[in-house]
Amino acid sequence: MVLGTTSGAGKSWLTTALCRYYSNLGLKVAPFKAQNMSNNARVVSGPSGSVGEIGSAQYFQALAARAEPEVRMNPLLLKPEADTHSQVVLMGQVSAELTAMPWRGRSEKVWPKIAAALDALRAENDVVVIEGAGSPAEINLHASDIVNMRVARHANARCLLVTDIDRGGAFAHLYGTWALLPEDERALIRGFVLNKFRGDASLLAPAPQMLQDLTGVPTVATIPMQWRHGLPEEDGVFDDRTLSAGAVHTTVAVIAYPRISNLDEFQPLKNVPGVRLIWARSPADLAGLKPTDWVVLPGSKSTAADLAWLRAQGLDQAIAHHAGQGGTVLGVCGGLQMLGEALIDTAGIDGNAPGLGLLSLVTTFEVAKTVQRTQAQFGAMQGAWAALAGVPATGYEIHHGQTAQHPAMAAKGDVAREVIPGIAWQNPAGNVLGVYLHGLFEDAAVLHALFGAQVPTLDSVFDGLAGFLGTSFTPGVLDALVAP
């Protein structure tokens, strides 16, 4: 099990790398995270041929393990809709009962399903690599814990505790986390891991030995900082230090509204030579864009609220100006909904709002949620997106809204061109495209059509991560963690 001293310490990265490392040894491997809080989700297999949602991190971990992603790998997913409210997804399906239940009241309700999913994966695999959440030393949550040490105790897991040394205070974080755990839980920690290290590792001495003298736990790995490892960050975050090198021919500005979702799907664009990927939080971030540069409205867990935020920042006018100059605009899922004329919500799902009016569409929110994997092919395309004409695409859909032509506008001849039935629409000028299909840029055919580019495959990324482990861990430690 991989635990962390903080969020962002590197649990997801290390879990993914371990999945590929052990898979490369010929072992049957599966990932597991009891509870994930993220609006980055994927559509995966459920029981009896059904489909459901899990966190994107566990989806990629399953691929790294060469396993079919499925709902047991992340039995509980919390999708934040506001600062104090999350949609609860249990075993891949939205649970209205759990969504309405207080946080601490959920634990005993969901634990049997979590334990059963973990036990089944353990029975079916040689190795299960478990990821914790946040920190196991969040003592205010310890009594209701279902994701950290309760899981570790249930599986009698051999635990690694990872910390981000780039933040500073790494040895204090490791010692403090260990010290706050009860005696029986401390005994499960087999090693400390220093992640994101920059500099001369010999300068760490004598701290690792001093820490071992205090705790009895050795520091088993020092993993170098990696700015461009190629794996999506768990929460879709990127910064200027992760930008690709070389001359830039296209800037892709992603609107970073508060309830953004599924940003991990843009990771492949970071690996395309000549593409610069940036956040946009104000009109100034869009100033100076060329018509060939993109403005992207990504998915949203709260479309109406994010649309109101966008207007409050003045980004609606900046987007309209870019589109009016012939600039390339893409809306994905919630972003597609925003590009239309109106959001209609009579069921109390998301909220009513006027859209940006760049596509003559209207979206109606429904209680039933579309969750499915989708294969489609773009029809005739025009303008900036013409290269996608006839290109097959594979991805996934997760949305409550259903979108159609605005009837009054259609009657007057103002019609958005439906380039994939029920999934994608384009404006008459051809520069604005809205799609419900997530994962578009993870499709090699789409990337090649748009950029003529070949980007690193996920398999090569996973093997690269596993290779870092082989050179960063003390020899023998990784094998000992899975020895009988």
Side-chain angles (χ1 to χ4, degrees), residues 297 329-333 335-337 339-340 358-359 361 378 381 385 403 416-420 422-427 431-437 440:
L297 283 72
V329 177
L330 172 68
V332 180
C333 198
L336 154 66
Q337 296 167 355
L339 290 175
L358 296 180
L359 291 172
L361 302 171
F378 284 96
M381 304 284 285
W385 301 102
T403 299
R417 299 181 60 253
E418 194 170 30
V419 293
I420 301 178
I423 292 177
W425 295 262
Q426 192 178 25
N427 69 336
N431 60 312
V432 179
L433 175 67
V435 299
Y436 266 123
L437 195 64
L440 201 58

Side-chain angles (χ1 to χ4, degrees), residues 92-441:
Q93 304 302 315
V94 175
S95 170
E97 177 190 1
L98 292 173
T99 298
M101 189 176 292
W103 180 288
R104 285 183 168 88
R106 294 176 189 150
S107 298
E108 294 311 311
K109 189 87 172 173
V110 300
W111 175 251
K113 295 254 180 150
I114 289 172
L118 175 55
D119 291 344
L121 289 174
R122 291 174 64 200
E124 296 167 16
N125 291 276
D126 300 316
V127 180
V128 176
V129 186
I130 305 170
E131 181 185 342
S135 163
E138 292 167 344
I139 54 179
N140 58 314
L141 300 176
H142 191 272
S144 56
D145 171 44
I146 53 170
V147 65
N148 285 311
M149 300 316 295
R150 186 172 186 178
V151 173
R153 293 195 310 269
H154 181 82
N156 194 28
R158 299 164 185 185
C159 298
L160 298 172
L161 181 61
V162 59
T163 192
D164 176 359
I165 196 170
D166 194 53
R167 292 185 178 187
F171 293 104
H173 287 162
L174 290 167
Y175 179 76
T177 302
W178 175 89
L180 284 171
L181 295 178
E183 198 79 35
D184 61 327
E185 295 178 359
R186 292 179 189 171
L188 297 173
I189 297 180
R190 300 295 185 89
F192 295 139
V193 175
L194 301 172
N195 189 30
K196 304 181 186 179
F197 180 72
R198 293 188 281 178
D200 183 354
S202 67
L203 298 178
L204 294 171
Q209 185 59 53
M210 294 172 67
L211 186 62
Q212 185 170 350
D213 293 343
L214 288 168
T215 64
V217 179
T219 298
V220 296
T222 302
I223 300 174
M225 174 68 79
Q226 301 165 70
W227 295 121
R228 299 184 180 96
H229 52 66
L231 187 70
E233 300 293 339
E234 182 174 11
D235 295 317
V237 177
F238 53 86
D239 58 38
D240 287 345
R241 293 170 295 185
T242 65
L243 295 176
S244 298
V248 173
H249 57 69
T250 304
T251 295
V252 177
V254 181
I255 306 298
Y257 22 73
R259 300 298 169 198
I260 47 181
S261 66
N262 293 78
L263 281 181
D264 55 299
E265 65 182 304
F266 301 112
Q267 167 66 38
L269 293 177
K270 292 166 58 178
N271 301 329
V272 175
V275 172
R276 180 172 68 118
L277 199 60
I278 65 169
W279 294 116
R281 295 184 173 92
S282 72
D285 296 323
L286 303 185
L289 291 183
K290 307 185 301 293
T292 54
D293 293 328
W294 298 10
V295 172
V296 177
L297 283 72
S300 168
K301 195 64 186 70
S302 186
T303 305
D306 277 344
L307 187 51
W309 173 88
L310 186 149
R311 284 194 164 98
Q313 311 311 308
L315 279 162
D316 56 334
Q317 297 178 43
I319 295 167
H321 175 75
H322 183 68
Q325 299 297 309
T328 307
V329 177
L330 172 68
V332 180
C333 198
L336 154 66
Q337 296 167 355
M338 293 182 193
L339 290 175
E341 293 290 334
L343 307 177
I344 299 174
D345 183 11
T346 59
I349 302 299
D350 190 290
N352 299 291
L356 298 177
L358 296 180
L359 291 172
S360 52
L361 302 171
V362 61
T363 295
T364 303
F365 291 105
E366 299 179 355
V367 174
K369 188 176 187 180
T370 299
V371 179
Q372 62 189 26
R373 288 174 286 197
T374 302
Q375 290 184 317
Q377 181 171 315
F378 284 96
M381 304 284 285
Q382 297 180 3
W385 301 102
L388 291 176
V391 174
T394 301
Y396 58 101
E397 297 178 61
I398 306 176
H399 55 92
H400 280 283
Q402 299 298 324
T403 299
Q405 301 285 345
H406 188 292
M409 297 180 73
K412 296 178 180 179
D414 187 353
V415 177
R417 299 181 60 253
E418 194 170 30
V419 293
I420 301 178
I423 292 177
W425 295 262
Q426 192 178 25
N427 69 336
N431 60 312
V432 179
L433 175 67
V435 299
Y436 266 123
L437 195 64
H438 288 289
L440 201 58
F441 304 113

